[in-house]
């Protein structure tokens, strides 16, 4: 990323839920409503693990109306009498579990589902939710907007950190990754672009249906949907990887040159970080006013207007760091942004620009940015411990996080070993999740003869600007 039902009285509902939890026929208990993330405690849910989402969406931009059905395949991780899904706004019309109607109720973003029979631990089940309405735009703690963003000719769906619950129900926390089928129907003349590979596109009775499939695990915040009058480009890299781009016509001329460099950037990144982890690549380029930030949406990064090459490098690097290796919690956000920011430093170093050491020195000296406020912002808090949800995309997460990686490089004092560390970290956690503790332990195990205590204590977790030693 780059961005700086019927109404039931509350007492009766509480009594009903208590009775359901305590008298389940098979002894199951409700799954948790939230995973107690340090910054978004209600995000995600306990008691099950999602393996696949199947979304069937029909959207009409003129009325901003979405009619949809989401089918979720999941495995119970405990005996369940009830479980929750995250869904913000929209009107729920029907819920079934394995084809049988289920009871449900809503409270805020929580959709609580009570199947007719308890679900035993280890059982695979399918919950289908029919819903409709006008999806909402969510304002984040840092005042940025995500979720469903209406545009002049369609809409954008952007999900970091919790915006995906605005357009489909799910277990919306990065620790629960799944595969996806996303089928979207829109008026003829518009395009619907999402993640993964295009499986089919057909037009009947004045509406076009497009089917996208993602068969590598994806965190829900990385899902995207762009509806509009996009110019579509289909090419392949020299290695045969499909490149699918969707560009707003107003940005077509300006973006042509930089998007043509996707294969070059991808080849450089594979040399630096190891084999590309997905089955396609590309980009979505919207108008500058359609959103306020770029985002590393999986396989197809999103840009509000034509990106420059460093931003393209940043979002492509995220396909390894953040998308394939996803954070265990939102406190681990720096693992996404530090690696993507350091990728920009490495690109410059490899292409005749500033060395990573020069960039590090400028940041430490307070001369990197044009104003004292921007330079001071690098040291506002430690990258591994933002003071609140509104700070998880703050400058220390990016710049100071990248400085942590450079300090590791300096401590190793061996660029070959550092390069191998970058590649092997992406390989070790490919298509999985990792925490800050996983990373620090990994680094220490790679170089047991080196002392990283100062790196962790002063640069990763310490307050203020560390002295250079």
């Amino acid at each position: 990323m780059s961005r700086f039902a019927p109404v039931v009285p509350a007492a009766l509902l509480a009594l009903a839920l208590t009775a359901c939890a305590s008298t389940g026929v098979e002894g199951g208990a409700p799954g948790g409503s939230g995973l107690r993330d340090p910054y978004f405690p209600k995000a995600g849910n306990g008691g099950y693990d999602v393996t696949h989402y199947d979304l069937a969406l029909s959207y009409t931009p003129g009325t901003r109306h979405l009619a949809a059905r989401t089918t979720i395949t999941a495995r119970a991780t405990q005996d369940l009498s009830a479980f929750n899904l995250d869904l913000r706004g929209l009107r729920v019309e029907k819920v079934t579990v394995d084809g049988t109607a289920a009871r449900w109720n809503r409270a805020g973003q929580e959709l609580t589902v009570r199947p007719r029979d308890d679900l035993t631990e280890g059982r695979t089940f399918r919950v289908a939710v029919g819903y409709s309405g006008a999806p909402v735009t969510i304002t984040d703690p840092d005042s940025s907007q995500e979720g469903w963003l209406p545009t002049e000719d369609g809409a954008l769906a952007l999900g970091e950190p919790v915006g995906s619950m605005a357009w489909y129900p799910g277990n919306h926390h990065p620790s629960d990754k799944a595969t996806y089928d996303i089928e979207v129907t829109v008026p003829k003349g518009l395009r619907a672009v999402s993640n993964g590979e295009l499986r089919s596109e057909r037009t009947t009775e004045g509406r076009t249906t497009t089917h996208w499939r993602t068969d590598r695990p994806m965190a829900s915040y990385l899902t995207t949907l762009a509806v509009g009058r996009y110019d579509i480009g289909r090419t392949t890299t020299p290695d045969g990887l499909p490149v699918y781009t969707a560009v707003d016509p107003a940005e077509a001329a300006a973006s042509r040159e930089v998007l043509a460099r996707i294969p070059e950037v991808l080849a450089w990144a594979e040399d630096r970080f190891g084999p590309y982890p997905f089955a396609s690549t590309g980009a979505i380029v919207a108008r500058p006013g359609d959103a306020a930030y770029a985002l590393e949406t999986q396989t197809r990064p999103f840009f509000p207007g034509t990106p420059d090459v460093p931003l393209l490098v940043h979002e492509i690097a995220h396909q390894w760091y953040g998308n394939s290796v996803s954070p265990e919690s939102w406190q681990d956000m720096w693992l996404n942004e530090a690696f993507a920011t350091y990728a920009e430093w490495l690109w410059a170093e490899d292409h005749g620009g500033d060395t990573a050491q020069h960039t590090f020195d400028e940041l430490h000296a307070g001369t990197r940015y044009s104003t004292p406020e921007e330079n001071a912002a690098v040291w506002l808090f430690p990258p591994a411990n933002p003071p609140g949800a509104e700070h998880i995309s703050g400058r220390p997460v990016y710049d100071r996080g990248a400085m942590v990686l450079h300090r590791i490089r300096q401590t190793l004092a061996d660029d070959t070993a550092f390069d191998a560390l970058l590649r092997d970290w992406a390989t070790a956690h490919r298509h999985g999740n990792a925490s800050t503790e996983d990373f620090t332990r990994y680094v220490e195990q790679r170089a047991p003869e080196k002392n990283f205590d100062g790196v962790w204590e002063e640069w990763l977790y310490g307050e203020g600007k560390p002295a250079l030693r």
Side-chain angles (χ1 to χ4, degrees):
M1 181 181 187
S2 185
R3 69 174 181 186
F4 286 100
V7 177
V8 180
L12 293 180
L13 180 58
L15 180 62
L17 287 173
T18 301
C20 180
S22 61
T23 62
V25 174
E26 298 177 22
S33 59
L35 294 178
R36 305 300 181 260
D37 184 274
Y39 300 106
F40 298 91
K42 298 297 287 183
N45 300 282
Y48 64 95
D49 173 60
V50 178
T51 57
H52 187 71
Y53 289 91
D54 193 332
L55 279 60
L57 314 168
S58 180
Y59 184 64
T60 303
T63 59
R64 298 188 178 180
H65 185 263
L66 177 72
R69 177 183 174 90
T70 291
T71 302
I72 299 168
T73 304
R75 180 182 60 85
T77 57
Q78 67 175 67
D79 292 341
L80 284 172
S81 62
F83 58 90
N84 282 26
L85 301 171
D86 300 314
L87 182 64
R88 182 84 170 265
L90 299 167
R91 180 178 64 257
V92 174
E93 296 158 350
K94 184 178 182 180
V95 180
T96 64
V97 176
D98 289 335
T100 300
R103 292 180 296 154
W104 54 272
N105 69 276
R106 300 191 70 180
Q109 71 183 49
E110 301 296 328
L111 169 60
T112 302
V113 178
R114 293 183 292 281
R116 186 182 66 181
D117 300 312
D118 285 5
L119 302 171
T120 57
E121 182 179 357
R123 174 176 166 180
T124 295
F125 63 95
R126 288 180 175 82
V127 53
V129 182
Y131 56 100
S132 63
V136 299
T137 299
I138 297 172
T139 300
D140 289 334
D142 66 359
S143 298
S144 62
Q145 292 190 318
E146 57 166 326
W148 196 267
L149 309 178
T151 64
E152 182 180 315
D153 58 355
L156 292 169
L158 301 175
E160 187 175 89
V162 294
S164 295
M165 67 176 72
W167 56 292
Y168 67 96
N171 201 22
H172 290 299
H173 188 267
S175 61
D176 192 1
K177 302 170 75 168
T179 56
Y180 281 77
D181 278 281
I182 300 177
E183 187 175 88
V184 190
T185 300
V186 296
K188 181 181 177 181
L190 301 182
R191 312 303 288 261
V193 184
S194 189
N195 312 85
E197 289 68 67
L198 179 63
R199 308 300 295 182
S200 66
E201 191 170 31
R202 64 186 186 277
T203 299
T204 57
E205 299 180 353
R207 293 179 72 83
T208 299
T209 299
T210 309
H211 177 195
W212 296 89
R213 176 172 295 166
T214 302
D215 60 5
R216 271 56 162 195
M218 177 165 63
S220 65
Y221 80 89
L222 298 169
T223 57
T224 191
L225 178 61
V227 175
R229 300 184 186 280
Y230 289 98
D231 292 341
I232 303 300
R234 296 182 178 92
T235 60
T236 59
T237 67
D239 293 334
L241 186 75
V243 181
Y244 189 102
T245 58
V247 182
D248 186 275
E251 296 296 312
S255 67
R256 189 171 296 114
E257 183 177 347
V258 68
L259 294 184
R261 299 189 70 176
I262 289 176
E264 174 193 354
V265 173
L266 202 63
W268 171 85
E270 285 195 292
D271 184 61
R272 276 289 190 174
F273 311 135
Y276 181 66
F278 304 113
S280 66
T281 187
I284 298 169
V285 181
R287 288 180 295 268
D290 289 344
Y293 51 87
L295 190 62
E296 62 270 20
T297 43
Q298 192 157 305
T299 67
R300 199 148 290 111
F302 167 80
F303 301 98
T306 298
D308 58 18
V309 172
L311 182 55
L312 181 66
V313 169
H314 183 104
E315 304 304 348
I316 286 180
H318 268 309
Q319 305 306 309
W320 282 261
Y321 307 110
N323 296 11
S324 179
V325 184
S326 299
E328 188 66 33
S329 80
W330 286 112
Q331 189 166 359
D332 305 308
M333 175 83 157
W334 81 276
L335 285 172
N336 294 15
E337 300 303 345
F339 277 91
T341 300
Y342 203 75
E344 294 183 60
W345 298 11
L346 292 173
W347 172 272
E349 188 171 86
D350 289 349
H351 292 82
D354 291 341
T355 65
Q357 183 65 53
H358 179 83
T359 303
F360 177 94
D361 290 341
E362 283 192 332
L363 286 167
H364 194 270
T367 59
R368 181 69 176 172
Y369 296 110
S370 59
T371 68
E373 293 77 16
E374 288 179 292
N375 288 305
V378 175
W379 311 106
L380 288 176
F381 56 84
N385 193 24
E390 68 273 22
H391 297 292
I392 65 168
S393 293
R395 192 174 294 282
V397 172
Y398 291 70
D399 287 342
R400 188 170 168 182
M403 295 177 85
V404 170
L405 297 182
H406 194 70
R407 290 296 287 168
I408 293 170
R409 182 179 179 180
Q410 291 176 320
T411 302
L412 289 171
D414 182 341
D415 276 357
T416 299
F418 180 70
D419 293 345
L421 185 149
L422 295 182
R423 289 193 299 271
D424 294 347
W425 170 250
T427 300
H429 296 278
R430 187 179 177 92
H431 302 314
N433 295 83
S435 67
T436 299
E437 292 74 20
D438 292 329
F439 179 70
T440 57
R441 184 169 55 250
Y442 164 84
V443 172
E444 291 171 349
Q445 290 173 346
R446 292 291 299 234
E449 75 284 0
K450 301 290 186 178
N451 185 349
F452 295 95
D453 290 350
V455 179
W456 313 144
E457 293 167 8
E458 299 177 22
W459 294 85
L460 184 58
Y461 286 106
E463 298 288 346
K465 182 194 292 189
L468 288 178
R469 306 186 188 283

